[in-house]
Amino acid sequence: MTTGEGTPQTTAPPAGSAKRALLGRLSWGLADQAASSISNFAVGIYVARSLGVTAFGVFSLAWVTYGVVLNVSRGLATDPLVVRFSGPPDASWRGAVARSTGTALGVGTVIGAVCLVAGLALGGRVGPAFACLGVLLPGLLLQDAWRFSFFAAGAGRKAFVNDVVWGVALVPAMVVAARVGSVAAFVLAWGASAAVAAAYGWVQSGIAPRVAGARGWLREQRDLGYRYLVENVSLSGASQLRAYGLGAIAGVGAVGAVRGAELLLGPFLAVLMGLSLVTVPEAARVLRQAPHRLGTFCLMLGGGQAAGALLWGGALLLMPDRLGELALGDVWHSASLLVLPITLGVAGAGLGTGAAAGLRALGAARRSLRCQLFASAGYVGGGLGGAVAAGTVGSAWGVAAATVSGSAVWWLQLRSALRERHHNSVPEVRTP
């Protein structure tokens, strides 16, 4: 319909149907994260029980490295896609997905080659694991890019199915890896099953990744992509520096202990890692449809995650040792000492991600970058400073303190961004 001045307007959907649609998208998001969490948790538990604390520490170093590369891909390829192309699929969405997934595939190929060469040069226990990771990085990153693409289109069901395919493919791959009994075999099993899901994502979407379109994509999205790249890499790079530094200070076994404790909180950590799959598109929708509700939406999102992490951590603290040993084997004894500080750190991170989603939806890349650099510096400083002072336990408490402080900074920046947007949206009153 039109207004009296002839300005075209769209009819808003009824409130009830809008809420049902939101709940439907969030439900598929939760289902997808549950599938991802179960898969990651199962892999970690299986590898920990099969390899022991030292070899599991080597596997954890490869896992952390993958996290850094994944965040490079997200910052350049899929974070801009989610911010700018969230909505019903159309011709522009399909073109953006082709170039975005092509960019992810290109990032995986380039960095994978570097990992392969580095792994072959390193040798020893660590080298083969990194060489295998390098071979499989393109498939790992492409699988993640399909998930982002589906959530940007509001098709969370497809992302869920894709993660289920990865989980199903993992089962026989892990059985074979267990028979081989090496870290490299487990890395191969994990990455090869992801490649199966990546190929299936191509079938689901009917879109071929355009690696040749990567340069154009990077050029068009450079105002967001490069800031998100620095932001994401500072986050995952901080985890990698902390892991490497902790291994140097307290031994590789300490890295395995930290990873074991994180596995016990796996459902919440997996949700945090893949948070932008669900929350940024939804925050962008709230901003378009009811901008005055964005702050409340982010607070509910972050508060809910923090409360969930505290409840889960409290249950872990009450868990009998025999159940912990059944889950983690020899890793349990050292990991159990870290449950409390890691729980507090995850709760703080969960609270902060609500504000982070709001800043992403607002396109406030400078503010979010500033927050992430602060949080990452605190994470490395707290983790390594705590390790020097009190070993593995001190490192965990240092990270928890840094994460809670970083969360406060995220919320201060979101409040400033919302005030700035409100100020700019109020028309200037001119007197005659």
Side-chain angles (χ1 to χ4, degrees):
M1 61 181 179
T2 60
T3 63
E5 290 80 9
T7 303
Q9 291 187 347
T10 57
T11 302
S17 62
K19 288 182 179 179
R20 285 193 296 272
L22 172 61
L23 289 175
R25 291 190 297 268
L26 290 178
S27 296
W28 281 117
L30 291 173
D32 176 73
Q33 291 304 328
S36 178
S37 300
I38 291 170
S39 176
N40 291 336
F41 182 75
V43 169
I45 293 295
Y46 197 68
V47 176
R49 289 184 57 82
S50 300
L51 297 180
V53 66
T54 301
F56 183 58
V58 175
F59 181 85
S60 299
L61 290 177
W63 187 290
V64 169
T65 302
Y66 157 71
V68 176
V69 181
L70 180 67
N71 279 298
V72 171
S73 176
R74 288 180 175 179
L76 293 176
T78 50
D79 282 347
L81 175 76
V82 169
V83 171
R84 287 182 166 155
F85 293 91
S86 289
D90 56 17
S92 65
W93 176 85
R94 293 182 66 85
V97 168
R99 289 177 294 155
S100 175
T101 53
T103 302
L105 197 56
V107 169
T109 301
V110 172
I111 301 182
V114 175
C115 285
L116 175 60
V117 172
L120 294 175
L122 283 172
R125 280 187 168 186
V126 176
F130 276 78
C132 293
L133 176 65
V135 171
L136 296 164
L137 270 176
L140 284 161
L141 299 189
L142 181 57
Q143 191 275 338
D144 185 73
W146 289 128
R147 296 172 70 212
F148 269 81
S149 301
F150 294 143
F151 275 106
R157 179 181 61 84
K158 290 185 176 181
F160 168 74
V161 171
N162 194 273
D163 266 329
V164 169
V165 168
W166 186 2
V168 171
L170 263 174
V171 176
M174 283 291 160
V175 171
V176 173
R179 292 181 179 177
V180 177
S182 68
V183 176
F186 279 104
V187 174
L188 280 172
W190 166 57
S193 54
V196 172
Y200 183 64
W202 191 338
V203 175
Q204 286 178 293
S205 66
I207 301 171
R210 287 182 52 207
V211 179
R215 180 176 297 180
W217 176 260
L218 294 175
R219 184 174 59 252
E220 292 169 14
Q221 310 301 328
R222 62 182 178 273
D223 59 325
L224 293 182
Y226 292 120
R227 287 194 177 99
Y228 288 158
L229 169 65
V230 176
E231 182 181 328
N232 290 355
V233 170
S234 69
L235 170 64
S236 52
S239 299
Q240 191 173 28
L241 288 174
R242 187 254 185 139
Y244 290 164
L246 182 60
I249 295 169
V252 178
V255 180
V258 170
R259 177 60 186 155
E262 289 174 345
L263 277 174
L264 297 175
L265 284 150
F268 296 97
L269 289 171
V271 168
L272 293 179
M273 287 180 63
L275 187 65
S276 58
L277 292 173
V278 181
T279 57
V280 175
E282 292 307 323
R285 288 185 178 94
V286 171
L287 181 63
R288 288 195 301 269
Q289 298 171 6
H292 60 285
R293 296 180 182 173
L294 180 62
T296 302
F297 173 82
C298 294
L299 182 60
M300 292 177 62
L301 175 67
Q305 287 189 96
L310 291 174
L311 289 173
W312 186 271
L316 291 176
L317 291 172
L318 300 175
M319 186 170 69
D321 285 341
R322 64 179 182 275
L323 291 180
E325 292 170 358
L326 181 64
L328 295 178
D330 295 338
V331 179
W332 164 252
H333 177 70
S334 51
S336 62
L337 303 175
L338 310 179
V339 170
L340 178 57
I342 288 181
T343 295
L344 295 176
V346 172
L351 185 62
T353 51
L359 287 175
R360 285 286 177 95
L362 289 166
R366 289 185 179 180
R367 289 186 181 275
S368 61
L369 175 59
R370 196 177 305 147
C371 294
Q372 192 56 66
L373 291 176
F374 176 87
S376 297
Y379 185 92
V380 174
L384 298 186
V388 171
T392 310
V393 175
S395 179
W397 277 107
V399 166
T403 304
V404 173
S405 300
S407 178
V409 173
W410 279 106
W411 279 102
L412 289 172
Q413 287 295 321
L414 177 61
R415 185 177 67 172
S416 297
L418 290 172
R419 286 180 175 176
E420 181 179 286
R421 186 180 189 279
H422 176 71
H423 175 75
N424 292 337
S425 65
V426 175
E428 183 180 357
V429 178
R430 299 182 182 271
T431 55

